[in-house]
Amino acid sequence: METGGMVSGRLAWLLSRCLVSLLLLLRGAGAQKGDGCGYTVMGPESGTLTSMNYPKTYLNNTVCEWDIHVKPGERILIKFGDFDIENSDSCHSSYLRIYDGVRESRTEIAKYCGLALQLESPIESRTNKVTVQFMSGTHISGRGFLASYSTTNKTDLITCLQKASHFSEPEYSKYCPAGCMTPFGEISGTVPLGYRDSSSLCMAGVHAGVVSNILGGQINVVISKGIDFYEGSLANNITSKVGSLSTTLFTFKTSGCYGTLGMESGVIPDAQINASSFLEWTDNTGQNNAWRSERARLKKLGPPWVASISNEFQWLQIDLSKLKKLTGIITTGSTIDKFNYYVSSYKIVYSEDGMKWTVYRQPHVGQDKIFRGNLDYNHEVRNNFIPPIVARFVKIHPLQWHKKIAMKVELLGCQFNAPPKLTMTEGPVLKPRANNNSRVRIDKTTFPPEIKNTTVTPIISKDLPLVTILVPVLVMSLTSIILILVCAWHCRNRKKKAEGTYDLPYWDRAGWWKGMKQFLPAKSAEHEETPVRYSSCESSRVRPREVATMLQAESAEYAQPLVGVAVGTLHQRSTFKPEECKEPGYADLDSYTNPEDAIYHAYAEPLPTNGPEYATPIIMDMSGHPIGPMGLPSTSTFKVPGSQAPPLVGTYNKLLSRTASSASTQVLYDTPKGTQGVCAVEEMVYQVPQSVPLQTTNREVPP
């Protein structure tokens, strides 16, 4: 019986070993053997390996073999960050050899040796398994080697030794292998301020919580201007050192799910912070002190949460009210120098409902994750969850502490948006109605017809955004042009209507040039008709009716007046301004102040209301116009300077009285044709109205 039990135990052990080996092959990992193996981390898709004692001189007469596995169908890419193996006997005793495959079925890919050898091109395998063999004989110098590997789809693979100063781009993306938390790497800085450009890129990525040391991952780097001072901190088991001024620094682009979840701000109420116990005591002054769980808020002044008994069964629990995505945790000790208490290591347990709890583990690792806690009572320490966890309840189990279990906590993360759940609801079962005349066959199952998705994905052209911009712009431009044209046409019509009141009659538009003759230079008497002239002295002897009859008898040489009938237009302004004088007759008979109706001026149209009050008479040289005799006595409508107008009757009396002037300047007035001027030597030409009946009103001028 005892022998049978031993055999059964042996078989169980062998089976367990076979299962472990099978799991390693399926997930991808590796193994090492020999006495010359150095720092080694092998993840499921990437890893890092070094010779013994790297970067110092490797040992004599040692050997090490690494068997690297990745998922079936994948291939392996190997890149060297440093290679320094002494070549004493043409790579016979000291060398590095790479095989495609493992054990007896492997075939050699390459064999290397030499000091400071530059291996720029990566080595690619033909299968998903590779063997790396390192042999060292008797030598004097040589650091050995450091190599990183990944699957061939990670073409931007870098090694753990590369720094930000090795790249010149302002932004770039690289793949960091697993195992870059090396004991010989150095970094300066922290998040969110950034890291000094002399820091190792992948090690800084692990410190920032961007990638995992066990898994590796992609980093997105942004280069910025350097700062004067770089802080040091402990995060994810990596201690960054204090750094001095540098030209540039670098930071990492992240998903942004690293905000605080409410311990420090008070969003999480005190009732949702619980603990297994708390310390309560009375000090020397007799004051009672209770260091309860609600004091476990990061950066809150005062004492922390302290467990009453320090053992492995103590815990601190935080309720987040609902599911959250957790990416990290920050802890401190008591923050009081008088009480040097802190937790140096702990585990994280989480739950969605507070009933079923799960201990946090890293992927592809068969044991619980032990988080490194604080090194003193004051400084903060950050640990990240990679990948993140989704939970409502988080419980911290201290494992190691200094003097007493005491801590302050803040959780990092963001809101969790759960994907919608599709629920299938069963419809009512329909039973066929019984029918005596027909049978219902229930042994045949009919399947619904297969419905294929015939929706055609629209082809979005690159020019579509340009079209969507140009079409509205063109439409607006055409609309604006049309509106401008319409407004211009409308304004033009309005202007024509406004000017139509003072336009020339249509029958006289063709002869407009006749009115311009008086402005042209004088010609000889033989080639040009003599205009009608009237002397101011003769006009004093003519009665108003005779003047009207004479004006009608003569044919007009110039244009018709605009208004054919004389009406009372006292308030319209005359287009001719009489010469200024000091005679009282003109001032007394001013039509602009006279309350009675004014005389219609038959020789020109009125000025607009906004124009000047009078028009200056046109002065012309009439020496070239001889005065002919005329049988009809006539009277000029303007008074010659120096003469006194006789008193007349009616409206003509008003006209002659208004035109009186005592000015000393010599002005020419018109004289009827064929009449010798008696008193006037200088004359003025004026327009003679055509045969248009004039109506006058005989009114006496008030005394």
Side-chain angles (χ1 to χ4, degrees):
M1 294 295 294
E2 184 177 354
T3 304
M6 294 176 62
V7 172
S8 299
R10 183 68 176 174
L11 289 174
W13 181 80
L14 290 174
L15 287 174
S16 63
R17 294 291 298 174
C18 291
L19 289 174
V20 170
S21 300
L22 181 61
L23 290 174
L24 289 175
L25 289 175
L26 289 177
R27 76 182 185 185
Q32 60 181 355
K33 57 184 179 181
D35 56 356
C37 302
Y39 174 79
T40 302
V41 175
M42 294 184 179
E45 293 184 342
S46 62
T48 301
L49 45 98
T50 68
S51 58
M52 177 67 74
N53 212 29
Y54 180 87
K56 299 178 181 179
T57 305
Y58 57 91
L59 302 179
N60 292 328
N61 304 318
T62 59
V63 61
C64 182
E65 284 190 2
W66 292 268
D67 293 338
I68 302 172
H69 305 232
V70 294
K71 293 179 181 180
E74 299 282 353
R75 290 180 298 166
I76 300 173
L77 196 69
I78 300 176
K79 189 171 186 178
F80 287 93
D82 189 16
F83 193 96
D84 191 58
I85 298 176
E86 185 178 280
N87 182 14
S88 57
D89 51 0
S90 301
C91 297
H92 181 69
S93 59
S94 297
Y95 59 85
L96 181 74
R97 183 176 290 175
I98 300 175
Y99 297 93
D100 191 2
V102 293
R103 298 180 181 88
E104 293 79 9
S105 61
R106 63 190 184 184
T107 57
E108 182 177 322
I109 298 177
K111 183 179 181 181
Y112 303 102
C113 66
L115 296 175
L117 185 64
Q118 299 294 328
L119 299 176
E120 299 292 340
S121 301
I123 301 169
E124 186 174 337
S125 69
R126 295 186 293 271
T127 64
N128 67 321
K129 299 177 183 179
V130 167
T131 300
V132 178
Q133 183 184 73
F134 171 64
M135 296 287 293
S136 68
T138 303
H139 64 281
I140 300 174
S141 63
R143 296 184 303 273
F145 73 96
L146 180 143
S148 297
Y149 72 90
S150 70
T151 54
T152 52
N153 58 345
K154 309 295 191 301
T155 56
D156 52 356
L157 171 70
I158 60 176
T159 67
C160 299
L161 298 180
Q162 290 182 288
K163 302 178 180 180
S165 56
H166 295 165
F167 304 96
S168 59
E169 298 90 343
E171 293 187 19
Y172 52 88
S173 178
K174 300 295 179 182
Y175 182 82
C176 289
C180 283
M181 192 177 68
T182 60
F184 45 81
E186 290 185 359
I187 61 171
S188 295
T190 185
V191 290
L193 298 178
Y195 296 88
R196 201 173 190 272
D197 55 5
S198 61
S199 303
S200 170
L201 278 173
C202 295
M203 192 173 185
V206 176
H207 183 271
V210 178
V211 295
S212 168
N213 185 60
I214 299 297
L215 301 175
Q218 200 78 22
I219 59 172
N220 297 300
V221 182
V222 179
I223 304 299
S224 304
K225 185 179 180 181
I227 56 178
D228 298 337
F229 178 77
Y230 295 89
E231 297 179 358
S233 65
L234 174 61
N236 299 310
N237 290 353
I238 297 178
T239 302
S240 66
K241 298 181 179 180
V242 174
S244 59
L245 173 67
S246 67
T247 306
T248 59
L249 60 82
F250 64 92
T251 55
F252 299 98
K253 285 185 178 180
T254 63
S255 61
C257 189
Y258 294 93
T260 58
L261 294 182
M263 287 292 289
E264 177 184 348
S265 62
V267 173
I268 301 174
D270 294 343
Q272 294 178 199
I273 306 173
N274 299 312
S276 56
S277 63
F278 62 90
L279 180 63
E280 188 173 6
W281 56 285
T282 303
D283 58 15
N284 297 330
T285 61
Q287 182 179 359
N288 186 30
N289 297 278
W291 293 358
R292 301 178 183 274
S293 57
E294 57 266 22
R295 293 184 175 275
R297 297 182 182 274
L298 189 70
K299 296 182 180 179
K300 182 178 181 180
L301 298 178
W305 164 71
V306 178
S308 60
I309 302 174
S310 296
N311 56 32
E312 296 181 358
F313 301 102
Q314 304 300 315
W315 48 264
L316 176 69
Q317 178 179 308
I318 302 171
D319 180 7
L320 299 173
S321 300
K322 60 181 180 179
L323 291 178
K324 297 291 180 66
K325 184 178 180 181
L326 302 175
T327 58
I329 182 174
I330 302 176
T331 60
T332 62
S334 65
T335 65
I336 302 175
D337 56 355
K338 185 178 179 180
F339 304 98
N340 189 14
Y341 307 150
Y342 57 89
V343 174
S344 56
S345 65
Y346 56 90
K347 291 193 300 185
I348 295 294
V349 182
Y350 59 94
S351 174
E352 294 184 1
D353 54 5
M355 302 296 293
K356 184 180 179 180
W357 297 87
T358 303
V359 181
Y360 181 79
R361 292 184 177 184
Q362 289 181 302
H364 309 289
V365 177
Q367 57 185 2
D368 300 341
K369 167 72 174 178
I370 305 299
F371 293 92
R372 184 177 178 180
N374 297 89
L375 301 178
D376 54 36
Y377 67 92
N378 191 30
H379 291 92
E380 298 179 2
V381 174
R382 173 174 46 84
N383 285 283
N384 290 94
F385 307 137
I386 303 176
I389 60 177
V390 176
R392 172 183 172 179
F393 299 92
V394 178
K395 190 179 291 186
I396 304 169
H397 284 272
L399 299 178
Q400 294 179 335
W401 53 88
H402 181 72
K403 294 184 179 180
K404 289 183 179 294
I405 296 176
M407 63 190 319
K408 295 181 179 180
V409 179
E410 179 61 280
L411 296 175
L412 305 177
C414 58
Q415 300 294 330
F416 174 70
N417 298 321
K421 295 182 180 180
L422 299 178
T423 57
M424 301 295 294
T425 58
E426 296 183 359
V429 179
L430 300 178
K431 296 182 179 181
R433 187 184 303 176
N435 191 350
N436 297 330
N437 298 329
S438 61
R439 292 185 178 181
V440 179
R441 298 187 60 181
I442 60 174
D443 57 344
K444 184 177 181 181
T445 305
T446 58
F447 297 92
E450 182 181 0
I451 301 175
K452 296 183 179 180
N453 186 9
T454 59
T455 304
V456 179
T457 304
I459 300 175
I460 301 176
S461 174
K462 294 182 180 178
D463 298 333
L464 183 59
L466 183 60
V467 172
T468 57
I469 295 174
L470 289 178
V471 170
V473 171
L474 291 176
V475 171
M476 293 178 65
S477 300
L478 292 175
T479 306
S480 302
I481 293 173
I482 293 172
L483 290 175
I484 292 172
L485 292 176
V486 171
C487 293
W489 178 79
H490 183 66
C491 293
R492 182 180 178 184
N493 289 345
R494 291 186 62 183
K495 185 176 180 181
K496 284 187 176 181
K497 291 180 180 179
E499 295 176 354
T501 307
Y502 305 100
D503 203 0
L504 293 173
Y506 68 91
W507 60 81
D508 201 42
R509 291 176 185 267
W512 63 271
W513 56 273
K514 293 183 179 181
M516 299 297 296
K517 283 186 175 182
Q518 55 183 327
F519 301 108
L520 299 176
K523 296 181 181 180
S524 61
E526 294 80 11
H527 296 87
E528 185 176 0
E529 297 181 2
T530 303
V532 179
R533 298 175 175 83
Y534 291 95
S535 173
S536 60
C537 297
E538 292 176 349
S539 63
S540 63
R541 301 191 298 270
V542 180
R543 294 191 301 272
R545 292 186 178 275
E546 292 177 352
V547 173
T549 306
M550 179 202 63
L551 292 176
Q552 294 177 5
E554 289 291 328
S555 60
E557 183 181 1
Y558 302 103
Q560 285 270 6
L562 293 178
V563 184
V565 194
V567 295
T569 56
L570 177 62
H571 300 287
Q572 293 182 352
R573 301 177 183 178
S574 172
T575 58
F576 293 94
K577 177 180 177 182
E579 294 188 13
E580 296 179 358
C581 63
K582 299 182 180 179
E583 296 182 9
Y586 177 78
D588 296 338
L589 299 179
D590 190 1
S591 62
Y592 296 95
T593 59
N594 195 339
E596 297 196 18
D597 297 336
I599 306 171
Y600 170 75
H601 203 291
Y603 306 106
E605 68 179 25
L607 285 172
T609 57
N610 57 354
E613 184 177 3
Y614 298 100
T616 306
I618 301 171
I619 309 300
M620 298 185 63
D621 185 10
M622 303 305 296
S623 60
H625 296 269
I627 301 174
M630 185 175 180
L632 295 175
S634 60
T635 304
S636 174
T637 57
F638 297 96
K639 178 183 176 182
V640 179
S643 63
Q644 179 69 29
L648 298 179
V649 179
T651 57
Y652 203 74
N653 187 10
K654 294 182 182 181
L655 178 62
L656 294 178
S657 298
R658 287 185 58 183
T659 55
S661 174
S662 60
S664 61
T665 58
Q666 295 180 354
V667 182
L668 297 180
Y669 297 92
D670 291 339
T671 305
K673 293 180 180 181
T675 304
Q676 183 74 26
V678 179
C679 301
V681 181
E682 296 177 357
E683 301 163 341
M684 171 177 281
V685 181
Y686 74 100
Q687 292 182 353
V688 179
Q690 295 181 1
S691 301
V692 178
L694 298 175
Q695 298 178 2
T696 59
T697 304
N698 294 325
R699 291 184 181 180
E700 296 294 337
V701 178

